[in-house]
Amino acid sequence: MKSTDTRQHLVIKKRPAALASAVDGKPDAYASLFELWKRSSVGRRAATMVQYRRVLDAFAAFNGRMPIGEIRRKDLLAFRDHLLDSDQSPVTVNHKIGIIKTLFRTAVDYELMASNPAVEVRVLETQQRKARVAFTVEELNSLFRAEIHAEGKRPRGGGREAAFWLPLLALLTGARVEELAQLLVGDVRHAEGLGHYLCISDDAEHAQLKNGASRRRIPVHAILLDCGFLDYVAGRKGAGLLFPDLRPNSRGKLGGYFSTFFSGYLRRKVGIGDRRKVFHSFRHTFKDTCRAVGIEEEVHDALTGHAAPRASRRYGNEQYPLEPLFEAIARFEIAGLDIAHLYTRAPVRPRYGAAFRPISAYYGIVIAFAMPRPGQGTTPFVLAMWQGLEAGFDIESNQIIFGELPRNKQMLVNAWIEIHREELIANWHVGRLSGEYFRLDPLR
């Protein structure tokens, strides 16, 4: 006999264990929420997962592990103020609140919360002060006169030789601490006719980069050559890490412990008390100096690995051409920097510093106009610079009138002047009146 019961039988799916724990208010509700979020976050890096879990645990500990459904905006505001009172920067606090907001979005999706209480909770722009600032030249000189660079100390906590080289590299390349800490010996490469450069990439298994724009090449500044950087590289035979004494932290970052060490070194040994001055301040110093000496924004963005804001700059080859990068590094000069005590070779510096006006560059040679030196008269000449050497070439006679260059580089300059002599003379006279010089094609 058939049943006359017309009620429909509802099929109730079993709730995920993580959801059941979070709904039932068990002590592991926060861990369960994390697991729910983790399910929908496939592809995130392990380090990101660890960071999210730590922030959620910190919030849970702060609020006494109150039931998730009872959390209100005031609880987030209290946590935000607690972080600020703990001397964490506004940028860091906003980042942590953003993590909680993301996790609570999952809670709303699973109906564990009616709404997301973290929305609109942040440190207001008017409350923020710049989290990281550049070093002054006086601070840089003090740093490089402290015990590591002046007395030869190589502390274990600073990675031995890394303690000496990482500050210099950061100052003269603008690279991030992790980018430098994870360099391999083979990442110091040579471009024929240009010079040495650092290859920043994440090709190695241990390497991590912030984003795709971080893959780049940075020419080695002449000051690093003067300090014996290539000698250090040559002494690190093999294909291993350039700074093997750096220890990775729990997230696998080779620069993590070093950053902490360096901040302490600045406070205790150098006497720089401003907590906004940290290792990342070298990057700010590099950018400020690039602007001061007139390096184009597109070029110093390519040097520092900043993503291009305009779509047109994302077209073309994946890697920025080396020639303009070498030209820019040749112009990079920090006025008042005094680290001659670190030189292992007699430095040869361009006499004109940032005052010259580059008009072309090729094969590592930078061609520029500069004001005549006393006693030189007004004969049109160009300044040719290559790896710290310079020479002035009379445009009409195509002869060196001061300075020196290797013979093969001199011949390249001579060939270029022969091609552009008439344009150079016109450029010289117009520029003397207007202060503006037009660029000329490089030697092909």
Side-chain angles (χ1 to χ4, degrees), residues 71-361:
I71 297 172
R72 298 292 180 264
R73 187 170 186 271
K74 62 182 179 63
D75 302 309
L76 271 299
L77 291 172
F79 182 61
R80 179 201 67 182
D81 294 342
H82 163 71
L83 296 177
L84 289 171
D85 291 341
S86 302
D87 204 26
Q88 297 189 35
S89 74
V91 173
T92 299
V93 173
N94 278 336
H95 179 61
K96 290 184 176 181
I97 295 297
I99 288 175
I100 294 174
K101 185 189 304 181
T102 299
L103 292 165
F104 283 180
R105 192 177 299 129
T106 298
V108 172
D109 290 343
Y110 281 91
E111 299 182 358
L112 306 180
M113 288 177 157
S115 61
N116 191 335
V119 173
E120 301 301 327
V121 175
R122 62 191 304 274
V123 181
L124 299 177
E125 295 294 330
T126 54
Q127 293 176 260
Q128 295 191 36
R129 68 171 185 162
K130 198 168 184 180
R132 303 288 183 262
V133 294
F135 292 113
T136 66
V137 69
E138 292 78 16
E139 289 170 335
L140 291 173
N141 288 336
S142 295
L143 167 63
F144 293 117
R145 290 284 177 181
E147 60 183 35
I148 289 176
H149 293 89
E151 301 174 17
K153 293 190 177 181
R154 298 292 184 268
R156 180 180 178 184
R160 306 295 189 192
E161 290 299 323
F164 179 89
W165 287 111
L166 289 190
L168 286 169
L169 285 166
L171 177 63
L172 297 166
T173 66
R176 302 175 179 93
V177 63
E178 190 64 22
E179 294 171 343
L180 297 172
Q182 67 191 15
L183 283 172
L184 299 174
V185 175
D187 289 332
V188 183
R189 303 179 184 179
H190 184 266
E192 186 65 32
L194 291 173
H196 287 84
Y197 65 92
L198 304 182
C199 181
I200 307 294
S201 75
D202 55 358
D203 293 342
E205 185 177 351
H206 71 281
Q208 304 176 40
L209 293 180
K210 184 176 181 180
N211 50 46
S214 299
R215 299 184 189 93
R216 63 196 189 280
R217 299 173 293 182
I218 312 174
V220 175
H221 196 284
I223 289 179
L224 290 169
L225 302 179
D226 295 341
C227 292
F229 178 62
L230 294 184
D231 293 332
Y232 171 75
V233 174
R236 289 285 309 129
K237 297 178 180 178
L241 289 167
L242 190 57
F243 303 107
D245 293 312
L246 290 172
R247 295 181 297 115
N249 63 11
S250 60
R251 299 169 60 189
K253 290 186 175 292
L254 288 166
Y257 287 135
F258 182 85
S259 293
T260 302
F261 158 81
F262 186 76
S263 293
Y265 181 73
L266 284 180
R267 313 290 174 251
R268 294 189 298 271
K269 301 296 184 179
V270 185
I272 298 176
D274 188 343
R275 292 189 174 276
R276 296 174 300 166
K277 306 290 178 77
V278 293
F279 192 87
H280 201 72
S281 295
F282 287 120
R283 192 165 166 84
H284 288 273
T285 306
F286 184 87
K287 293 291 281 188
D288 286 351
T289 303
C290 285
R291 297 182 184 106
V293 301
I295 296 173
E296 296 80 359
E297 181 183 11
E298 177 179 338
V299 177
H300 63 71
D301 278 352
L303 287 167
T304 54
H306 281 127
R310 295 196 299 271
S312 62
R313 282 166 48 187
R314 294 193 291 269
Y315 284 82
N317 195 292
E318 180 182 2
Q319 290 191 311
Y320 203 86
L322 277 172
E323 287 81 358
L325 299 181
F326 272 87
E327 174 189 339
I329 289 297
R331 296 163 59 188
F332 184 91
E333 181 178 357
I334 301 174
L337 182 66
D338 180 15
I339 57 173
H341 60 289
L342 303 180
Y343 297 164
T344 60
R345 72 174 194 182
V348 182
R349 287 284 173 273
R351 300 175 179 85
Y352 291 94
F356 61 81
R357 301 293 182 86
I359 57 172
S360 192

Side-chain angles (χ1 to χ4, degrees), residues 35-86:
E35 291 301 321
L36 290 173
W37 169 79
K38 190 175 177 181
R39 286 186 178 192
S40 61
S41 302
V42 178
R44 288 185 182 265
R45 295 190 306 176
T48 301
M49 296 292 187
V50 171
Q51 184 184 31
Y52 273 54
R53 181 61 186 269
R54 285 177 177 170
V55 172
L56 183 61
D57 287 346
F59 176 70
F62 174 77
N63 68 31
R65 307 194 76 83
M66 67 188 302
I68 290 176
E70 297 179 11
I71 297 172
R72 298 292 180 264
R73 187 170 186 271
K74 62 182 179 63
D75 302 309
L76 271 299
L77 291 172
F79 182 61
R80 179 201 67 182
D81 294 342
H82 163 71
L83 296 177
L84 289 171
D85 291 341
S86 302

